[in-house]
Each structure stands twice: as C-alpha cells, then as structure tokens.
Amino acid sequence: MPFENFSVIESTLREGEQFSTATFDTAHKLKIAHTLNDFGAEFIEMTSPSASPQSEADIKAVVKEGLKTKILTHIRCNLEDAKRALDTGVDGLDVVIGTSPQLMQHSHGKSIRQIIDLAAEVMNFIRSQKPDIILRFSTEDTFRSREVDLLRVYLAVAELGMVNRLGVADTVGVATPTQVYNMVHQLVRLTHLDIEFHGHNDSGCAIANATAALEAGATHIDTTILGIGERNGITPLGGLVARLYTLNRSYVSKYNLKMLPQIDKMIAEMCDLDIPFNNYITGSSAFIHKAGIHAKAVLADPSTYEILRPEDFGLSREISIGHRLTGWNTIRDRAKTLGLGLSDDAVREVTKNIKKLADTKPLNLAEIDALLQEAEAKELVEAMEAGK
Ligand code: HCA
Ligand code: CU
C-alpha cells in the first residue's frame, strides 16, 4: 500500500530556498538538515551546486554530517551540472527538464527528441560514474505538457534502465487531484518505477494533489516546511502530515510528530514570517474551541470536534470561554478547575452575566475567575444567613 511505504523528500533546502524571504546561511542549513533528520524525513533535497559556490560548499558540509536522512541535490539535465553534483558526495541526484510547450520554447529551446537524447546521455553518464547513486528523472511543468510528449520522454527514460524514480511536477499549481491521480497511475502501470510528486499550491490543491498521487501509487512526496517555495510554495510538510494522520495515524507514526511546532517555528523565524493562524496543526487557532455546544462536547470527549489530537504534536487544546457564544457547561468546568463549590443555578447566573458583558467586550480568564469567585462568596453568605 503506497500510504504505508511513502517517503518524504523534504525540499526546504531547495524549493524552500526559492521562497521570497528565504536566504539560508550554512548554519541555518545545518540546523534545518539536523532538524529534518531528527524528525525522520527520509530524504532532504538541496539546491544545485551549480547555483553558487556557497551552495556547493553547503551541500558538502551537510553531507559530511553523516545524517541518517539521505541527501539529494537537484540539477538541470546537463553533463556539467551532473559532474559538479557527483563531486559533492550526495546520495542521490534529482534531474529535471521542462517538457511543456512554454518551457521548451522559453527555457531550453529543445525538441522532445533532443530532450530524450540529452536525458539518455546524462543518465548514462551519471550511472557510469556512480553505479549506486539514487537517480531520479523528472519533467518540469508536467501538467501543461502534451501527454504524448510526456509518455515518449518517460518511457524512453524508463527503458534506459538507469533511473530509480520518475518525477511528476505540477510546477505552476494548475493540476487537479483527478489529473494527478491519472498521470501517476499511468506511470505506475507503465514503468513499475518509484514515482515522486512535486506540487505547487497556486490554486490551493497542493495537499490534495499529493494525496491523490499517493492514492495512485506514488512512493515519494516533495514537501517544504510551512510550504515555502516559488510564489506561494508547495505541499507543506505539516499539512501533508495532517492529511495522512486523519486517514490513519499509522501512516505518519514513523515521524517525530512532536517536533512539528518547533520545525514550523524555526522556518518562520528564519524567513521572518508569522505562522498563519489557520496553519495545519501549528496555527494559533488550530486547537481552540469556542461555541458553547462545541466546548461542552469537547470537554466530555475531545474527539467529538477534534480529528487531530493536539497532544500527539506536543500541543494542547484551548477552550475559549469569555465570549457571548459561551455555554454554562464550560463555565462550570472552569469553576471546577478553580475548586469552587458553586451550585448549578449560580453557574447559570454567572454564565448569563458573562454573555451580557461579552456583548460589549470579550472577557479574559482573570475576569471570568473573578466573577465565579464573587458568585461563590455570595452563595456562602446566603447559605450562612439562611442557616442562622
Ligand atoms: C522549478 C522546478 C521545480 C522542479 C520540481 C522537480 C518545479 O523551480 O520550476 O524537480 O520535481 O516546480 O517544477 O521545482
Ligand atoms: Cu517547484
């Protein structure tokens, strides 16, 4: 089953570096690589050594750490890039070339025949130099390429018998889950090679498309932390985890999930970003329950309104109580937490008061506690007076 055996190719150090505010220095890169290694990412992908001298030196620095996670670098389909990449000592090369009419015309100017010949030359060269290296071939802008072109290229490359994996890339974030499913399914059926999916999020489908790829038999999914990348980025690591966890927790139990908050925070800080309030798992409101009906049910059993358990990610839920939608069950729970012995009638009375006050302005916890303590004192006095 693909969901059980999939691997993450964590591309924060390649696709992520292409994000507008990402400029990672060597120390940052080492920290990101170690953190992803500790999280359990199977692969990390780094920017091509041809990008700049520092990029080349940083790959070598990360390789030297001897991490468990496998280190890949991402290169264009040409001999020069391949030679430089082989010299870095990485575990694998991710080779890419554009096949859409747009990229064939404006990026490299090659025909499909020329792409196939070049791919053969480059793949043969890499294999001849490093027989054991992990080798992937990918078409850029797969979903705006002509299907007949794609199949010609993929099948020709598969027939070389040189690559371990074929990559499918939704470079402009245009694909739908059905299109991704069909494309991946076709490649699984025709080639029996591992299949990788790389999906941009321009139209909000990056997580759904990655899931569709897995459903169709993909073995590798590209992610970045917080989803950073070109434009508005790609499938976010935390979002993919949330999606798969809710299908079956066991699909992601191989990862150190409690690290996710610190991982997202690390990249937010390095890129000078806020974690969006609605971020998967680590957004500030991801585990806040508000309306009285929700709060009551969550207090009785969190699973009524929670599909993700915050404690599995080292987080805790919060029940928001100082607003006009609050309910008396929640207020009673707060009184209990404070150790107050209030009658139900008194709790209902305080709740009414909170709702009235909150119509003007939400109350904070200290204000609610004060109202409850006041109510308890009042009840005690009344009880004493009645007992006289
Ligand atoms: C790009 C390249 C790429 C490559 C993806 C891959 C894309 O920056 O345009 O090699 O799988 O989105 O096509 O990131
Ligand atoms: Cu990309």
Side-chain angles (χ1 to χ4, degrees), residues 9 34 61 76 102 119 136 140 182 198 259 281 300 334 375:
I9 297 185
H34 273 277
R76 292 167 298 187
Q102 290 88 340
R136 180 216 74 175
E140 189 184 0
N182 290 339
H198 174 98
M259 286 180 72
I281 301 167
R334 181 66 197 163

Side-chain angles (χ1 to χ4, degrees), residues 374-387:
E374 223 174 84
E376 193 201 41
K378 195 169 148 225
E379 264 202 328
L380 283 176
V381 171
E382 280 169 7
M384 274 163 57
E385 279 173 3

Side-chain angles (χ1 to χ4, degrees), residues 193-227:
L193 288 170
D194 282 352
I195 306 295
E196 168 181 347
F197 175 76
H198 174 98
H200 279 260
N201 202 30
D202 300 70
S203 57
C205 284
I207 299 172
N209 285 345
T211 311
L214 289 171
E215 282 167 343
T219 49
H220 296 70
I221 299 295
D222 290 12
T223 64
T224 60
I225 300 167
L226 290 177

Side-chain angles (χ1 to χ4, degrees), residues 14-15 18 74 169-171 198-200 222 229-231 233-234:
R14 197 282 294 174
E15 177 74 51
Q18 296 175 220
H74 185 261
D170 182 18
T171 305
H198 174 98
H200 279 260
D222 290 12
E230 285 287 343
R231 306 181 307 282
I234 66 163

Side-chain angles (χ1 to χ4, degrees), residues 287-298:
F287 296 109
I288 299 183
H289 303 274
K290 183 171 171 188
I293 299 173
H294 284 239
K296 178 187 175 197
V298 166

Side-chain angles (χ1 to χ4, degrees), residues 14-15 96 125 145 229 305-306 328 334 370 385:
R14 197 282 294 174
E15 177 74 51
V96 70
F125 171 74
S145 305
Y305 285 107
E306 264 174 11
W328 84 278
R334 181 66 197 163
E385 279 173 3

Side-chain angles (χ1 to χ4, degrees), residues 17-174:
E17 251 209 318
Q18 296 175 220
F19 183 63
S20 52
T21 62
T23 324
F24 303 129
D25 60 24
T26 311
H28 284 151
K29 290 191 194 181
L30 287 169
K31 183 165 180 204
I32 293 169
H34 273 277
T35 305
L36 288 169
N37 179 68
D38 296 346
F39 176 73
E42 292 87 350
F43 298 90
I44 60 177
E45 185 182 66
M46 297 189 69
T47 300
S48 168
S50 303
S52 73
Q54 194 58 50
S55 303
E56 184 167 21
D58 289 342
I59 299 177
K60 290 182 179 163
V62 170
V63 166
K64 243 194 182 155
E65 297 295 294
L67 302 174
K68 186 160 175 253
T69 184
K70 296 214 176 326
I71 315 296
L72 311 173
T73 187
H74 185 261
I75 60 167
R76 292 167 298 187
C77 189
N78 66 54
L79 287 178
E80 210 177 299
D81 281 19
K83 275 182 203 148
R84 276 185 98 142
L86 286 167
D87 281 347
T88 59
V90 287
D91 300 294
L93 302 188
D94 288 346
V95 182
V96 70
I97 188 161
T99 47
S100 65
Q102 290 88 340
L103 290 175
M104 282 159 67
Q105 191 186 344
H106 299 297
S107 170
H108 52 66
K110 292 189 172 49
S111 67
I112 290 296
R113 183 69 256 160
Q114 288 170 318
I115 290 173
I116 292 172
D117 291 344
L118 181 62
E121 187 185 9
V122 174
M123 300 302 134
N124 273 305
F125 171 74
I126 296 170
R127 258 298 156 249
S128 70
Q129 299 298 301
K130 291 257 167 85
D132 296 329
I133 204 159
I134 306 167
L135 187 52
R136 180 216 74 175
F137 173 86
S138 180
T139 66
E140 189 184 0
D141 210 1
T142 312
F143 293 89
R144 289 192 304 170
S145 305
R146 290 173 28 176
E147 193 163 313
V148 335
D149 291 345
L150 283 175
L151 291 180
R152 269 179 73 199
V153 173
Y154 281 130
L155 293 181
V157 170
E159 265 165 35
L160 296 171
M162 302 282 160
V163 306
N164 308 87
R165 202 163 76 241
L166 293 175
V168 169
D170 182 18
T171 305
V172 295
V174 69

